[in-house]
Amino acid sequence: MNSGNNNLSLPWANGWFSEPQKPAWVQELRGWQRIIMKHQFGKIYFRYDDLPRVYEEGKAVGVEMILLFGWWKGGFDNGYPVYEPDLVHSGAGSGLACLRSGKFGKSATLELRQSTAS
């Protein structure tokens, strides 16, 4: 039973773990909008053309990152580990074009198998 000391593993971890230096953009991050573009049952909630508006709405309240889920053919929670862009969101290349448009700075992140890639 834990007597309230939450540092029980600290001596063990100190032997091998050192916290990595966080980049400035991580230290300044206030949060993100988690956007499910296509639900696992096929319902489309957002298209690529919607993303600049969604980003601006978040930015207005200080949230300057969007985390995209369900941008691939299978939709959210389907299709792992195959991530083939779903053209239903706006056509070939439009997703990448949208993300590269500069409207998000470096603030868009894609969900890939429970981790992220910017």
Side-chain angles (χ1 to χ4, degrees):
M1 178 139 177
N2 186 340
S3 63
N5 181 354
N6 291 325
N7 295 319
L8 296 176
S9 63
L10 190 57
W12 171 75
N14 280 341
W16 60 269
F17 178 78
S18 61
E19 186 171 354
Q21 180 67 28
K22 296 179 184 106
W25 72 269
V26 171
Q27 294 178 32
E28 297 164 4
L29 185 65
R30 294 181 61 190
W32 60 76
Q33 296 181 77
R34 183 174 181 258
I35 305 299
I36 298 175
M37 296 186 71
K38 181 178 178 181
H39 191 275
Q40 63 204 36
F41 301 117
K43 180 176 171 101
I44 296 173
Y45 293 110
F46 296 97
R47 297 184 183 277
Y48 295 123
D49 293 345
D50 297 323
L51 298 181
R53 174 188 53 80
V54 169
Y55 174 74
E56 289 299 326
E57 289 172 357
K59 186 177 178 182
V61 295
V63 178
E64 296 189 55
M65 176 176 267
I66 57 175
L67 174 57
L68 299 177
F69 287 81
W71 52 269
W72 55 91
K73 280 191 176 181
F76 179 71
D77 269 353
N78 284 327
Y80 299 129
V82 177
Y83 294 98
E84 184 177 347
D86 196 338
L87 302 182
V88 73
H89 294 298
S90 285
S94 65
L96 189 55
C98 179
L99 295 176
R100 286 184 172 163
S101 69
K103 294 177 183 175
F104 307 103
K106 293 183 178 178
S107 303
T109 301
L110 304 177
E111 189 270 349
L112 297 173
R113 194 154 167 55
Q114 306 306 320
S115 62
T116 59
S118 295

